[in-house]
Amino acid sequence: MLDRRHPAPQRVTVLGATGSIGTNTLDVMARHPQRFEVFALTGAQRVEELAALCARWQPRFAVMPDEGAAARLRALGREQGWRTEVLSGERALVDVAAHPAVDVVMGAIVGAAGLAPCLAAARAGKRLLLANKEALVVGGALFMEAVREGGATLLPIDSEHSAIFQCLPDDPSSWPARIDHIVLTASGGPFRERAPGTFAEITPEQACAHPNWVMGRKISVDSATMMNKALEVIEARWLFGLAPEQIRVVLHPQSIIHSMVVCRDRSVLAQLGTPDMRVPIAYGLSWPERIESGADLLDFLSLKALTFEEADAARYPGLQLAWQTLNGPAGSTCVLNAANEMAVDAFLKRRIRFDQIHRVNTEALESVGIDSGAADSVEGLLSLDALARRKAGDIIAALSP
């Protein structure tokens, strides 16, 4: 019989364990060893980092995307003396996300690669902590249908969506009668005050130097272009069942108010805190309870001002693509996400300029024909994703010096 004073720990799979969300998740879990244990860890190419995590956490499984990386990880395991079973490939990612022994899945794989394992976790009825916004950007209606049919508990981990969720009652059926609109806040990134005419000179190093948050390179570039906010608008539409026009964006350089709900009676509910991803992670892990996250307390007396600005379309042209694709044919958001992943990768490899990222995205949206029903299945979405990547690759090749 379960001892209610000392319940069994929750078994957690961390998809994307070596990234910033994954490492922050493990940091929170380490503060509560009686509540959580690691079941599986997955990584991309950081073999040595994942080996260190396996030595520390002793998970039952570790997964790498390809067999070559998995073989290197197994070799390190033999050298270091840990006995985690190392698997490889997308099928293994799906298996550790949907495994019957797993209670909680942190979906922190960046990009469209996270769609299949997050869908599997949803269909298996897991508590899914969704940090992979692309799962909803690409999957949308299909993903939310899997959550409903699987009986999963979906908890947003993006600071903005977690903030909205924390401002709403637990019963989603009450949300439409309560919400007039929501306001997603954005820091504005590192170029909020830089002249747009100089954007062609921006380097990857400058774009990755976010003023408030510690993030991976791809997400940092998205923050600099505000494409991250465009993707968050799309994500919010599905998470909260809102019409596109009910989602607004405002710049808030201090990153203290993480987002707001404007109610039908014109009350405004906001969630505040220091810019530390461990806060929404801890909330997702413990919901509906709250546990210590490790974040600093917000010191109101040290705050000089909380300011707000309009997101300038000349500086952030990609932001408007959120509403354009939401109002376009089903599958448009999938095309936008794929093109943007290709464009950001090309910029980080210095194949295109910073100011050409938006051009790749818009030209891909114009050139990809979307068949009716393409967004109705995972196979259709993956096919559309692949087509969009080919088109974006052609555009990038034409722009490359």
Side-chain angles (χ1 to χ4, degrees):
M1 187 174 191
L2 182 64
D3 184 344
R4 297 297 178 185
R5 295 169 300 172
H6 303 285
Q10 297 282 290
R11 294 176 293 271
V12 183
T13 286
V14 183
L15 303 172
T18 59
S20 60
I21 296 294
T23 55
N24 276 315
T25 300
L26 294 171
D27 180 87
V28 174
M29 290 173 60
R31 297 170 188 275
H32 306 276
Q34 287 75 39
R35 293 187 66 126
F36 308 107
E37 66 180 45
V38 173
F39 179 81
L41 299 173
T42 83
Q45 297 299 326
R46 301 175 186 173
V47 177
E48 290 78 11
E49 292 180 34
L50 191 58
L53 292 177
C54 289
R56 161 69 177 83
W57 290 94
Q58 299 291 320
R60 181 170 169 183
F61 297 107
V63 182
M64 300 298 290
D66 62 80
E67 183 53 33
R72 296 198 300 275
L73 185 61
R74 290 190 196 101
L76 288 172
R78 288 191 294 270
E79 292 175 11
Q80 298 171 7
W82 43 266
R83 299 187 178 185
T84 296
E85 183 177 350
V86 179
L87 308 173
S88 65
E90 183 177 294
R91 181 69 252 175
L93 286 174
V94 167
D95 288 345
V96 297
H99 196 286
V102 171
D103 302 299
V104 181
V105 175
M106 167 56 79
I109 296 175
V110 175
L115 175 61
C118 286
L119 264 173
R123 288 169 174 157
K126 306 302 182 184
R127 172 182 290 221
L128 175 57
L129 313 186
L130 191 65
N132 172 277
K133 61 175 64 67
E134 291 85 359
L136 281 169
V137 172
V138 174
L142 189 70
F143 190 88
M144 295 307 295
E145 181 182 359
V147 170
R148 287 189 294 271
E149 291 184 352
T153 300
L154 180 63
L155 298 169
I157 298 302
D158 271 350
S159 61
E160 297 82 0
H161 302 93
S162 177
I164 298 297
F165 184 77
Q166 292 181 55
C167 290
L168 293 171
D170 291 345
D171 180 10
S173 67
S174 69
W175 295 352
R178 179 178 295 256
I179 300 173
D180 183 81
H181 65 276
I182 65 171
V183 180
L184 303 179
T185 58
S187 70
F191 310 127
R192 182 175 60 86
E193 297 180 333
R194 180 165 175 158
T198 69
F199 279 12
E201 305 164 10
I202 291 172
T203 67
E205 293 75 20
Q206 292 170 331
C208 291
H210 196 280
N212 297 338
W213 298 92
V214 177
M215 303 182 292
R217 284 165 61 81
K218 193 268 181 184
I219 300 175
S220 294
V221 174
D222 281 348
S223 179
T225 62
M226 285 273 279
M227 271 304 302
N228 74 316
K229 208 55 52 177
L231 299 179
E232 287 170 12
V233 168
I234 297 166
E235 183 182 7
R237 179 263 178 272
W238 296 107
L239 278 172
F240 305 113
L242 299 171
E245 60 270 17
Q246 287 181 282
I247 309 167
R248 304 177 190 177
V249 172
V250 66
L251 297 189
H252 172 49
Q254 295 80 23
S255 297
I256 298 298
I257 297 176
H258 297 302
S259 279
M260 295 170 275
V261 175
V262 181
C263 301
R264 293 194 181 276
D265 64 1
R266 297 303 186 259
S267 298
V268 180
L269 308 178
Q271 188 262 339
L272 287 71
T274 53
D276 190 321
M277 284 306 300
R278 290 177 295 179
V279 174
I281 289 169
Y283 186 69
L285 284 169
S286 63
W287 180 86
E289 301 175 44
R290 289 183 183 267
I291 58 175
E292 195 269 327
S293 67
D296 292 335
L297 283 170
L298 181 60
D299 181 3
F300 287 96
L301 297 181
S302 69
L303 298 178
K304 296 179 180 178
L306 299 179
T307 62
F308 305 91
E309 305 167 15
E310 184 178 4
D312 178 17
R315 188 180 306 278
Y316 307 113
L319 180 59
Q320 295 305 314
L321 296 178
W323 292 275
Q324 177 184 322
T325 53
L326 282 173
N327 289 311
S332 297
T333 57
C334 175
V335 173
L336 174 60
N337 179 74
N340 185 64
E341 286 188 19
M342 293 288 291
V344 170
D345 181 69
F347 166 68
L348 288 171
K349 293 176 178 175
R350 304 178 196 276
R351 295 182 60 203
I352 63 172
R353 302 191 310 265
F354 180 84
D355 63 322
Q356 292 175 323
I357 294 173
H358 180 63
R359 179 173 173 181
V360 173
N361 292 339
T362 54
E363 290 189 11
L365 283 168
E366 292 168 359
S367 63
V368 174
I370 301 176
D371 294 334
S372 175
D376 294 342
S377 68
V378 174
E379 295 74 20
L381 287 169
L382 293 178
S383 177
L384 185 59
D385 176 270
L387 174 60
R389 290 175 190 274
R390 289 195 298 272
K391 293 288 188 179
D394 293 341
I395 297 164
I396 290 165
L399 292 173
S400 298

